[in-house]
């Protein structure tokens, strides 16, 4: 397919560019990928990449958002359907994020690259989801379902960072003596985490 033919189907072209970019960014990170390499992989011209995404930086953001979108959509639906706050929803949210990372190793690598390369930009989806989660925690605290002396955003951050680190560093810590499986770690973490946020008598 020639670049001229691809312009007749902008959605296909955009998807081809995103697919190629995700593969390269997962393997090499943002900094190491050259636009010319990306264009060859997607079988498009560099001008088409600029046309659809503006810049390599904007393409990087689009790749991250697409990779995170499935979890974002499912988690937002879970929050919206929950009705009144329920401590069990926090547990289900931890499980959902843990399983999302387990089932999407490419996303884990993308997250790892953002950390290694000092990418401090939080995407709109990330900010929106953390904000919604923290607000849910705040409401649960006001109803006495979760302890009130903890920053709601820190509650979200604790499980997000623990789950993310478990998978980012798994190649290292899986060899520690006595280290359990994914399921065993999640079970133990939930015991500690849920007990930690439970209101004190």
């Amino acid at each position: 397919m020639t670049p001229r033919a691809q312009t007749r189907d902008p959605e296909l072209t955009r998807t081809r560019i995103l697919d190629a970019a995700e593969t390269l960014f997962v393997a090499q990170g943002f900094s190491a990928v050259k636009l010319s390499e990306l264009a060859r992989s997607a079988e498009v011209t560099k001008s088409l990449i600029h046309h659809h995404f503006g810049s390599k930086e904007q393409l990087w953001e689009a790749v991250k958002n697409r990779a995170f979108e499935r979890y974002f959509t499912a988690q937002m639906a879970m929050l919206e359907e929950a009705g009144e706050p329920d401590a069990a929803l926090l547990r289900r949210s931890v499980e959902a994020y843990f399983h999302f990372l387990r089932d999407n190793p490419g996303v884990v690598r993308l997250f790892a690259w953002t950390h290694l390369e000092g990418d401090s930009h939080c995407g709109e989806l990330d900010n929106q989801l953390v904000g919604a989660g923290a607000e849910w925690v705040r409401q649960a605290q006001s109803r006495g379902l979760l302890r009130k002396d903890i920053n709601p955003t820190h509650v979200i951050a604790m499980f997000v960072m623990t789950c993310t680190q478990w998978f980012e560093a798994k190649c290292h810590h899986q060899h520690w003596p006595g280290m359990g499986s994914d399921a065993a770690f999640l079970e133990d973490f939930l015991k500690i985490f849920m007990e930690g946020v439970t209101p004190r008598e």
Side-chain angles (χ1 to χ4, degrees):
M1 182 179 292
T2 67
R4 181 185 296 273
Q6 288 174 6
T7 60
R8 297 172 187 166
D9 191 342
E11 273 309 307
L12 175 61
T13 301
R14 183 179 175 86
T15 299
R16 287 167 65 89
I17 294 170
L18 281 169
D19 289 345
E22 182 172 341
T23 298
L24 290 171
F25 287 149
V26 165
Q28 303 176 36
F30 172 76
S31 300
V33 175
K34 293 180 171 58
L35 211 56
S36 56
E37 177 185 14
L38 207 159
R40 283 196 304 273
S41 180
E43 299 181 3
V44 299
T45 62
K46 287 194 290 185
S47 62
L48 269 177
I49 295 176
H50 285 295
H51 171 73
H52 284 281
F53 297 97
S55 67
K56 179 182 162 186
E57 288 76 13
Q58 288 173 292
L59 176 57
W60 169 244
E61 293 303 319
V63 166
K64 289 190 296 181
N65 281 338
R66 188 179 71 157
F68 189 62
E69 191 169 16
R70 274 173 296 135
Y71 170 74
F72 170 85
T73 301
Q75 185 60 39
M76 287 298 289
M78 188 186 299
L79 289 171
E80 291 167 2
E81 294 167 4
E84 291 190 0
D86 177 351
L89 178 60
L90 183 57
R91 181 185 182 94
R92 294 199 304 273
S93 296
V94 175
E95 292 171 337
Y97 186 63
F98 190 90
H99 293 152
F100 169 73
L101 295 178
R102 180 199 63 191
D103 297 339
N104 294 277
V107 175
V108 175
R109 284 185 62 87
L110 279 178
F111 287 171
W113 281 117
T114 65
H115 303 154
L116 286 170
E117 299 193 10
D119 180 358
S120 60
H121 181 265
C122 292
E124 180 181 344
L125 299 183
D126 196 22
N127 282 335
Q128 188 176 340
L129 187 55
V130 170
E135 177 56 30
W136 178 90
V137 171
R138 193 173 292 108
Q139 292 178 20
Q141 290 173 323
S142 70
R143 288 171 167 80
L145 301 173
L146 300 175
R147 57 189 293 181
K148 299 178 180 180
D149 60 335
I150 303 175
N151 182 323
T153 301
H154 291 173
V155 173
I156 305 301
M158 284 175 197
F159 83 72
V160 167
M161 290 189 288
T162 299
C163 294
T164 302
Q165 178 64 15
W166 171 259
F167 288 104
E168 282 188 5
K170 190 175 179 182
C171 62
H172 174 68
H173 62 58
Q174 67 183 344
H175 302 297
W176 291 351
M179 182 59 74
S181 64
D182 288 347
F185 177 81
L186 177 59
E187 181 181 356
D188 284 345
F189 172 66
L190 282 167
K191 290 175 185 174
I192 297 168
F193 180 72
M194 295 307 297
E195 174 64 24
V197 298
T198 298
R200 297 299 184 255
E201 294 297 334

